[in-house]
Amino acid sequence: MGVLMSKKQQVEKVQKCSAVVSAFQAGIKDRTAKQAEADAGDGEDDAKTSASPDEKNTEEVRPEETDNDAGPSTSQEASAPVRDECKVNQEAWSRLRDGKGVEPEDLDKSHQLTPPAFVRPKRESDDDQPIEVDLENKEQPPRDEMCDVCEVWTADDLYPCRICTRMFHDGCLRELGYLRAEALQEMRDTAHTVTGWSCYYCDNVNLLLTEEEMYSLMETFKQCKIIPESCLVSDELLQYRHFVSKQQFDKDLSDEQEEEVLAQFAALDPEKKGHIEWSDFLYFESLAVLRKFRTENSLVRLLTAKERDKARTVFQGLATDKDGAITRAECRQAQQSWFHKLKDPQSCNVSISHVGPICESSPASSGSERSKTDENRPLTWADFLRESAIYILAARPNSSAMHIRMPL
């Protein structure tokens, strides 16, 4: 999975440095103003030069009080906002010293909450090698204690991601601009439920692609004149699928395949808006690229500890025999149930039988050719995890659209 540099450490440094600089500047201005007032008082009454320091300080305050009674001066009006800012900074530092930190609403979001820079992953030399995942020992990773954006702990105000261990304030996500009002409300409603919510790191499965994989996908988009960040209607999706079929198999889509594309469009448009969102289209194509260029072992390495724990629970619920294996039919049932629990049942039912990349070599397209013997062939925990990895990854997005063709 890609590394996401959220710059949260820089946010904290900028916050602290800004407070120190502002407090320092405010202190200098206050001392300069007091010195000017003291000099003016000394010039008006030379007899006061022989007074004691305590008396001098007392007399310096009196002209200021007199001036206040007469009306505020220009310098005093200018220094008022500075004093207020200094007070705010002092209160912020007081909270930091007490271990409470600065509350999210007190942050200057326009300067300090910088959107993170996404860095795409690079495949390692052992990426295709098998990885051992123990069935019996659950990993149960602990959640982070602080918001991933502002690094402030506020207990019940934090919302967890169901895929990774990160926690977020809804206000921080709103200021970052990643979630609209309806998405924020969905997060508040589902983050603490069994269904859960995926953070913007995990929701975007396109971030799993390497630079090379993404370049190849974008070149295909350009050749098909697909405009990024735009919605697609059914005719545009059909045109795109015709181009891909011509490019990969040197032939046009058949009538049956065109029907499958339209069914795919319906599954990507569960709300029947008449178009599919760019993010749903991009996620679907990204998963198709992963399934085409990555091995099953490589896909298993992309799973998080929470996802592996969930897969353990599903497998153990099916493997009731002592041999610790399940059939292929049970495996497909488990893959479908993964989406039934997270997605809208109606959109899931449509996608199970139709939706998916038009690829003759894909596992889904060859499902009808499997024999009954193959259906009853036992699958071990390692086999189940390898075959289910792509479907587990496809269940990450919060969207109700189905981004992958389910096994028949």
Side-chain angles (χ1 to χ4, degrees):
M1 217 162 57
V3 179
L4 182 67
M5 302 174 61
S6 66
K7 298 184 180 179
K8 58 188 179 182
Q9 295 179 349
Q10 295 184 15
V11 168
E12 183 181 7
K13 290 181 180 179
V14 169
Q15 172 188 326
K16 293 180 180 179
C17 291
S18 298
V20 172
V21 171
S22 299
F24 181 74
Q25 292 176 343
I28 292 178
K29 291 181 180 179
D30 288 342
R31 271 186 274 178
T32 303
K34 290 180 180 180
Q35 185 65 36
E37 293 171 0
D39 293 340
D42 291 340
E44 293 174 359
D45 190 1
D46 295 334
K48 295 180 181 180
T49 55
S50 60
S52 63
D54 294 337
E55 293 174 348
K56 186 182 296 184
N57 291 336
T58 304
E59 294 298 326
E60 288 175 1
V61 174
R62 288 175 181 173
E64 181 179 352
E65 294 175 351
T66 303
D67 292 342
N68 288 337
D69 294 337
S73 64
T74 304
S75 62
Q76 290 172 339
E77 290 178 351
S79 63
V82 175
R83 292 194 182 96
D84 293 340
E85 181 181 359
C86 181
K87 181 179 179 181
V88 172
N89 291 332
Q90 290 175 349
E91 292 175 353
W93 275 108
S94 176
R95 287 194 294 270
L96 284 173
R97 285 193 298 269
D98 295 340
K100 298 178 181 179
V102 178
E103 298 300 327
E105 59 269 20
D106 294 334
L107 289 171
D108 186 1
K109 306 290 180 64
S110 61
H111 298 287
Q112 297 184 16
L113 289 188
T114 304
F118 295 102
V119 179
R120 294 196 173 274
K122 294 182 179 180
R123 298 191 63 182
E124 303 294 338
S125 57
D126 61 344
D127 197 52
D128 296 327
Q129 299 300 317
I131 179 174
E132 184 177 353
V133 180
D134 190 3
L135 173 62
E136 300 301 329
N137 297 326
K138 286 193 174 183
E139 300 170 63
Q140 296 179 335
R143 294 175 178 174
D144 294 349
E145 296 182 352
M146 298 182 294
C147 173
D148 191 71
V149 179
C150 66
E151 291 192 318
V152 173
W153 179 81
T154 53
D156 294 338
D157 293 334
L158 289 171
Y159 295 90
C161 173
R162 63 180 172 87
I163 305 298
C164 64
T165 60
R166 299 181 183 93
M167 306 278 281
F168 298 89
H169 288 119
D170 55 349
C172 292
L173 293 176
R174 183 180 62 251
E175 294 298 332
L176 281 175
Y178 280 108
L179 298 181
R180 297 187 296 269
E182 58 271 18
L184 278 170
Q185 187 58 46
E186 179 185 358
M187 178 196 70
R188 299 186 189 103
D189 294 339
T190 61
H192 293 291
T193 65
V194 176
T195 300
W197 164 82
S198 295
C199 68
Y200 58 85
Y201 295 80
C202 303
D203 177 79
N204 189 353
V205 293
N206 177 257
L207 296 177
L208 299 175
L209 302 186
T210 63
E211 290 285 355
E212 296 77 13
E213 292 168 341
M214 188 58 192
Y215 177 80
S216 174
L217 184 59
M218 292 305 296
E219 284 298 309
T220 304
F221 290 164
K222 290 178 182 179
Q223 293 175 11
C224 295
K225 298 182 180 180
I226 298 294
I227 303 175
E229 305 299 334
S230 63
C231 300
L232 278 76
V233 297
S234 58
D235 289 343
E236 291 174 323
L237 184 61
L238 271 173
Q239 181 181 358
Y240 174 77
R241 287 283 173 239
H242 272 289
F243 177 84
V244 173
S245 178
K246 193 73 173 177
Q247 186 182 55
Q248 293 182 354
F249 309 114
D250 196 25
K251 63 180 182 180
D252 293 327
L253 296 178
S254 64
D255 293 341
E256 181 181 354
Q257 289 174 325
E258 285 189 354
E259 291 179 1
E260 290 182 356
V261 173
L262 293 177
Q264 177 188 111
F265 180 88
L268 290 173
D269 181 27
E271 298 179 3
K272 302 187 185 304
K273 298 178 180 178
H275 65 264
I276 56 178
E277 300 293 336
W278 166 256
S279 58
D280 291 326
F281 173 72
L282 180 62
Y283 296 169
F284 185 95
E285 295 302 314
S286 300
L287 290 165
V289 169
L290 286 175
R291 186 153 61 175
K292 180 179 179 181
F293 294 107
R294 302 288 187 95
T295 62
E296 291 179 341
N297 290 327
S298 176
L299 296 177
V300 171
R301 292 178 180 272
L302 298 177
L303 302 179
T304 65
K306 284 187 177 181
E307 290 174 320
R308 292 192 294 267
D309 279 348
K310 182 66 176 179
R312 283 187 181 93
T313 302
V314 173
F315 183 85
Q316 290 173 340
L318 295 172
T320 56
D321 298 335
K322 293 182 179 180
D323 58 359
I326 63 174
T327 64
R328 186 174 293 278
E330 291 174 327
C331 177
R332 292 201 305 276
Q333 178 185 354
Q335 293 163 356
Q336 293 173 7
S337 67
W338 193 277
F339 288 88
H340 275 290
K341 294 177 181 179
L342 301 176
K343 307 287 184 178
D344 178 62
Q346 294 182 352
S347 64
C348 184
N349 289 336
V350 173
S351 64
I352 288 174
S353 59
H354 294 289
V355 180
I358 309 300
C359 178
E360 295 178 348
S361 60
S362 66
S365 63
S366 60
S368 60
E369 301 174 0
R370 294 193 182 100
S371 63
K372 292 183 179 181
T373 303
D374 189 43
E375 291 292 313
N376 295 325
R377 183 173 64 87
L379 290 178
T380 64
W381 158 242
D383 296 332
F384 170 79
L385 193 60
R386 284 195 299 268
E387 294 192 12
S388 300
I390 186 65
Y391 302 105
I392 296 174
L393 295 173
R396 284 186 177 185
N398 295 306
S399 169
S400 60
M402 295 296 296
H403 303 103
I404 195 171
R405 179 173 181 165
M406 296 299 298
L408 298 176

